[in-house]
């Protein structure tokens, strides 16, 4: 039987948006020798659907033998990423950041298997909070071009409302993380949502300048519906993974009610069903599409809330 390698599977599932070096990334993750990281800023007391996609990517790569480094942004949370946002973020207190980190940690542990050679979790508070300003400026400041930074895609939406100096520094902190993980964990790949592209590129550039080494970045496609809107949001706000914020039934219903044009895409991108099974559903129409929505809702509810909740919600 032909077994698809992980990189081709990610392509076939429509998960890859941009890559810095296709050949190298493909080789390394297909060999199962990659140590890669994804960062999560503790912006709320629960993960949401966007985070879920990133965690699924980690799991897929872990299943192919690669080692995920989950980074909690206990340090970057003090600044707040302006990437791709029009609004100014409000500053979070240290207590809230800590509390949100704890919530993320608990939810992630149910989803990814941690252990020395399986996956590790780190918190950038451990190195960012103790940086010395002048020392940092001299250490890495000279590697960043303000002109290039201002041209970065991630600030485009910010040009009108303005970008504070606080937020402008976010990219430097995220780059520093990549550099730190490269040196301390041999982590030479960073993945994330497509809005993270500029931050990730800045990190590869820092590693090149400081160490003369190559590091790679890859982004995953943002989940958009056929009308061009970001998915995972309802009139009430985000679709959360915490059952107390979005009940398993509401979670199920969200996927059960998505548009016909979006079902197959979501099944491909979000579930772990084998691609052959999904391909066979490609021609489905009418009542069968309705069936596909139930499959999507069931599979996702099972992943997030467990089989029993999924079965209850499907009744
Ligand atoms: N900036 C990322 C989170 C992140 C934080 C630190 C990193 O090193 C990497 C990623 C986001 O907003 O989603």
């Amino acid at each position: 039987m032909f077994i698809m390698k992980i990189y081709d599977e990610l392509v076939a599932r429509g998960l890859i948006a941009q890559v810095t070096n296709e050949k190298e990334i493909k080789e390394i993750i297909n060999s199962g020798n990659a140590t890669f990281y994804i960062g999560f800023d503790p912006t709320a007391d629960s993960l949401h659907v966007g985070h879920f996609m990133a965690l699924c990517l980690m799991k897929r790569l872990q299943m192919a033998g690669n080692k995920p480094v989950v980074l909690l942004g206990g340090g970057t949370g003090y600044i707040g990423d302006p990437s791709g946002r029009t609004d100014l973020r409000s500053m979070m207190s240290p207590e809230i950041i800590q509390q949100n980190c704890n919530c993320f940690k608990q939810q992630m542990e149910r989803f990814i298997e941690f252990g020395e050679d399986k996956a590790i979790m780190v918190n950038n508070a451990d190195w960012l909070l103790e940086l010395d300003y002048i020392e940092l400026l001299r250490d890495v400041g000279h590697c960043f071009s303000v002109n290039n930074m201002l041209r970065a895609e991630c600030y485009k939406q910010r040009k009108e409302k303005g970008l504070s100096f606080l937020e402008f520094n976010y990219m430097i902190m995220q780059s520093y993380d990549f550099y730190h993980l490269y040196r301390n964990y041999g982590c030479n790949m960073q993945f994330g949502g497509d809005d993270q592209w500029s931050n990730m590129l800045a990190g590869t550039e820092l590693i090149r300048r400081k160490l003369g080494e190559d590091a790679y970045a890859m982004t995953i496609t943002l989940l958009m519906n056929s009308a061009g809107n970001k998915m995972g949001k309802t009139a009430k706000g985000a679709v959360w993974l915490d059952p107390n914020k979005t009940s398993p039934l509401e979670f199920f219903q969200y996927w059960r009610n998505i548009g016909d044009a979006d079902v197959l895409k979501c099944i491909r991108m979000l579930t772990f069903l084998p691609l052959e099974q999904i391909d066979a559903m490609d021609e489905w129409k009418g009542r069968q599409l309705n069936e596909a929505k139930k499959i999507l809702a069931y599979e996702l509810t099972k992943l997030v809330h467990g089989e029993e909740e999924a079965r209850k919600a499907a009744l």
Side-chain angles (χ1 to χ4, degrees):
M1 196 176 85
F2 171 72
I3 299 180
M4 200 184 250
K5 288 272 178 67
I6 181 69
Y7 187 85
D8 297 312
E9 175 171 352
L10 298 179
V11 173
R13 288 189 181 271
L15 283 169
I16 300 183
Q18 306 188 68
V19 288
T20 51
N21 308 62
E22 180 163 43
K23 186 171 157 282
E24 286 80 0
I25 294 175
K26 187 171 170 168
E27 241 168 57
I28 303 173
I29 66 175
N30 279 350
S31 72
N33 290 325
T35 300
F36 67 94
Y37 98 94
I38 300 185
F40 300 85
D41 270 354
T43 46
D45 56 4
S46 168
L47 298 165
H48 55 60
V49 171
H51 297 129
F52 173 72
M53 279 188 77
L55 287 173
C56 284
L57 176 72
M58 292 194 128
K59 205 175 169 103
R60 290 179 210 280
L61 288 162
Q62 187 181 40
M63 285 159 61
N66 299 291
K67 182 171 167 184
V69 177
V70 176
L71 178 143
L72 291 176
T76 34
Y78 277 69
I79 301 179
D81 190 355
S83 300
R85 302 177 67 100
T86 48
D87 55 322
L88 287 148
R89 283 181 183 274
S90 51
M91 270 201 242
M92 288 190 289
S93 71
E95 293 74 30
I96 297 282
I97 292 173
Q98 185 56 49
Q99 204 182 317
N100 291 351
C101 277
N102 293 342
C103 295
F104 274 26
K105 184 162 180 274
Q106 270 182 11
Q107 290 183 354
M108 285 163 169
E109 277 166 350
R110 292 197 20 234
F111 203 71
I112 298 229
E113 210 185 322
F114 288 96
E116 221 13 77
D117 359 275
K118 287 188 190 125
I120 56 168
M121 193 185 278
V122 296
N123 188 331
N124 63 14
D126 292 343
W127 56 87
L128 294 184
L129 296 187
E130 60 194 29
L131 290 174
D132 176 87
Y133 193 53
I134 301 292
E135 217 177 282
L136 177 75
L137 288 177
R138 288 173 63 95
D139 185 17
V140 304
H142 67 97
C143 300
F144 291 86
S145 148
V146 171
N147 291 351
N148 286 347
M149 283 174 77
L150 286 172
R151 272 196 294 273
E153 188 61 36
C154 62
Y155 301 136
K156 292 256 156 77
Q157 278 108 315
R158 269 317 179 81
K159 292 281 150 71
E160 277 154 39
K161 292 227 172 139
L163 183 66
S164 70
F165 186 66
L166 173 74
E167 293 175 307
F168 188 53
N169 278 268
Y170 189 93
M171 183 184 276
I172 296 178
M173 294 300 116
Q174 184 162 337
S175 302
Y176 191 88
D177 285 347
F178 200 177
Y179 173 53
H180 177 90
L181 295 179
Y182 186 97
R183 281 185 307 165
N184 292 279
Y185 297 90
C187 169
N188 63 351
M189 296 195 185
Q190 182 180 178
F191 303 146
D194 205 32
D195 54 349
Q196 294 299 312
W197 183 241
S198 318
N199 288 343
M200 289 160 54
L201 280 186
T204 62
E205 182 63 20
L206 178 62
I207 292 168
R208 188 168 311 116
R209 294 233 186 174
K210 287 292 293 181
L211 307 170
E213 309 267 346
D214 289 325
Y216 311 110
M218 175 172 94
T219 60
I220 37 178
T221 319
L222 292 180
L223 191 61
M224 308 285 265
N225 64 19
S226 46
N229 300 318
K230 234 185 188 178
M231 292 190 70
K233 284 203 161 63
T234 68
K236 276 167 58 190
V239 176
W240 301 104
L241 305 194
D242 180 343
N244 297 315
K245 289 168 77 83
T246 300
S247 73
L249 183 60
E250 284 172 305
F251 185 85
F252 183 94
Q253 294 290 350
Y254 176 81
W255 301 105
R256 175 74 186 79
N257 292 324
I258 67 170
D260 288 0
D262 303 316
V263 197
L264 262 297
K265 184 175 74 184
C266 287
I267 293 186
R268 233 182 223 103
M269 290 175 80
L270 302 172
T271 75
F272 285 81
L273 293 175
L275 279 167
E276 306 87 76
Q277 189 181 336
I278 302 172
D279 291 341
M281 297 161 80
D282 257 336
E283 301 300 310
W284 286 15
K285 292 199 177 60
R287 278 243 299 281
Q288 283 177 306
L289 265 189
N290 210 25
E291 208 44 52
K293 290 181 197 177
K294 283 190 206 161
I295 295 175
L296 171 69
Y298 181 83
E299 287 299 319
L300 295 185
T301 311
K302 186 171 89 178
L303 282 169
V304 174
H305 298 293
E307 199 158 358
E308 199 185 323
E309 289 297 340
R311 234 182 276 134
K312 269 200 265 167
L315 285 179

